Amino acid sequence: MSDMHLIALPRLQTAIAQVVRGFGSSPDEVAAVTGNLIEANLTGHDSHGIGMLPRYADAYLQGGLTPNAAVSTVLDGGSLLRLDGNRGFGQVIGAQAMALGIARAQAHGSCIVALGNSHHLGRIGAWAEQAAAAGLVSLHFVNVISRAIVAPHGGGDARFGTNPFCAGVPLTGRPPVILDFATSMIAQGKTRVAMNKGEQVPPDCLIDDHGQPTREPRFTVVPPFGALLTFGDHKGFGMALMCELLGGALAAGMTQRDGDASQKRVLNGMFSVLVDPAALADRASFEAEALAFIAWVRASPVREGFDAIHIAGEPERAWRAQRTAAGVPVDATTWQEILAAAGRLGVDAAAVQAAAF
Ligand SMILES: NC(=O)c1ccc[n+]([C@@H]2O[C@H](COP(=O)([O-])OP(=O)(O)OC[C@H]3O[C@@H](n4cnc5c(N)ncnc54)[C@H](O)[C@@H]3O)[C@@H](O)[C@H]2O)c1
């Protein structure tokens, strides 16, 4: 297992902002990208945190990621928006797309946002949290245009990405319920993190290049490539398919089938549905019923081997509290990769190192 660094949050923020400045980003973009990536680490999703920066640097240097881009509106149907992310940082494009959709949902009661051509949107939960903060329920079906990495149920090679699904429910005066997961058994980034840590992945997550079960994370990181499996057998596969049909074919007009695997860029298509519960029902009685159901679910006796019944979004909040106080663990391999990426971006890696420690 490789060494771990524990980096205090303010130091990590300073160090990562220095790296992101290497993209030539505006101050607002530096803040958005730095904040979103570190937030993924804080919420326990290292796979979508600062460890993505080396990939972003390669994508940028190849011309597949365009700093300082903004979302543009391709179709304005009032409560139907079709948006183009112009290959900008997903951390910026996602926030802009949600802001546009939120304004329309507040005006019309609901809005469908079809976003294509955005660079990696990171942790999709961030976009459900943005909608929930505005009092909106949201659903997000997302496809990934990159090297295919997940096999269809019953298939022996990779045909699509880790296609995340996310849903958020706001509760006045309380944290929202945020369900946010990849439709693969584990997120791709988690295999990279496992490989960097020298760990194996759990059983039944991965097949090798011959379609045989393996626990070696390298089969999704370096050739010869195998594939991740979908969660829940045909059920996760079905959700992944819908993410591709809705986030890909419908929202982005592009599916993984078209992806150029030689490119480092990761594009996401996202089909989002935003609903104002107050426009559809009585907000107070909706929330009272939702809270009563959550209490009913929590009253189930905790089975052996489990610590408690958790509601989606709670694990992330627990991680955030713990890591905000104690610092963010970053494995040594990932940290070295970030310093190397800084160098490729023309940033003084020694200064980044000095800022972090
Ligand atoms: N942008 C992209 O291309 C892309 C692709 C794939 C995944 N992702 C992101 O990767 C992140 C990680 O995905 P993942 O599949 O590893 O997530 P995961 O397996 O950790 O599942 C997370 C979800 O399950 C809930 N949860 C976790 N433990 C729970 C428990 N014990 N009881 C009840 N609920 C629990 C969490 O609150 C959260 O909603 C997500 O943020 C996702 O959006 C992004």
Side-chain angles (χ1 to χ4, degrees):
M1 182 168 172
S2 80
D3 294 339
M4 295 297 285
H5 301 302
L6 192 62
I7 307 179
L9 179 57
R11 285 189 159 272
L12 189 64
Q13 287 164 331
T14 305
I16 295 302
Q18 284 186 19
V19 180
V20 178
R21 275 188 211 106
F23 291 93
S25 293
S26 68
D28 282 353
E29 185 163 280
V30 170
V33 174
T34 302
N36 174 284
L37 290 177
I38 291 180
E39 176 71 6
N41 290 94
L42 285 179
T43 51
H45 294 294
D46 296 333
S47 55
H48 288 70
I50 58 172
M52 288 302 295
L53 277 170
R55 183 81 188 258
Y56 291 0
D58 290 342
Y60 164 62
L61 294 169
Q62 282 185 352
L65 162 62
T66 309
N68 302 311
V71 92
S72 48
T73 303
V74 180
L75 178 145
D76 185 345
S79 60
L80 272 178
L81 288 176
R82 187 176 183 86
L83 306 174
D84 189 310
N86 296 306
R87 301 197 169 205
F89 270 112
Q91 287 74 12
V92 171
I93 299 299
Q96 291 178 347
M98 284 304 104
L100 290 170
I102 286 166
R104 297 304 174 91
Q106 286 169 336
H108 300 284
S110 66
C111 182
I112 289 174
V113 181
L115 173 64
N117 209 23
S118 171
H119 199 260
H120 190 241
L121 287 161
R123 189 178 69 90
I124 305 305
W127 315 125
E129 286 166 2
Q130 187 180 342
L136 302 177
V137 167
S138 67
L139 303 174
H140 310 265
F141 295 83
V142 179
N143 87 326
V144 189
I145 306 284
S146 183
R147 178 173 56 78
I149 190 161
V150 182
H153 183 54
D157 71 358
R159 295 285 153 158
F160 47 85
T162 51
N163 295 5
F165 169 78
C166 177
V169 173
L171 295 167
T172 306
R174 294 168 187 262
V177 177
I178 303 287
L179 178 66
D180 171 29
F181 54 66
T183 48
S184 49
M185 280 289 290
I186 51 174
Q188 175 183 10
K190 287 187 178 159
T191 62
R192 173 176 46 76
V193 171
M195 188 166 128
N196 284 351
K197 288 182 176 174
E199 294 174 354
Q200 292 204 318
V201 297
D204 304 322
C205 290
L206 202 57
I207 53 176
D208 66 16
D209 55 323
H210 295 104
Q212 295 301 313
T214 177
R215 295 187 60 190
E216 284 299 330
R218 69 185 166 86
F219 281 105
T220 67
V221 185
V222 290
F225 292 118
L228 288 167
L229 300 176
T230 54
F231 79 87
D233 298 330
H234 62 287
K235 301 183 186 185
F237 169 46
M239 283 195 79
L241 189 77
M242 285 301 169
C243 286
E244 202 69 46
L245 298 183
L246 299 179
L250 183 59
M254 187 184 192
T255 64
Q256 167 60 36
R257 188 179 71 82
D258 308 313
D260 178 352
S262 71
Q263 295 294 304
K264 288 288 190 178
R265 57 103 181 90
V266 185
L267 298 178
N268 282 141
M270 180 161 72
F271 178 83
S272 298
V273 180
L274 306 178
V275 179
D276 180 357
L280 192 65
D282 175 61
R283 186 187 286 272
S285 49
F286 156 62
E287 291 191 3
E289 191 59 36
L291 288 171
F293 180 73
I294 289 170
W296 158 258
V297 165
R298 277 196 208 282
S300 178
V302 176
R303 272 198 293 147
E304 199 183 325
F306 291 83
D307 64 332
I309 291 155
H310 298 284
I311 301 301
E314 287 177 354
E316 284 72 19
R317 288 195 290 280
W319 278 116
R320 187 189 288 122
Q322 193 269 333
R323 289 185 166 186
T324 300
V328 178
V330 184
D331 70 84
T333 307
T334 298
W335 186 251
Q336 282 310 316
E337 287 174 358
I338 291 170
L339 294 181
R344 292 200 293 285
L345 293 168
V347 173
D348 180 1
V352 175
Q353 174 79 6
F357 298 100

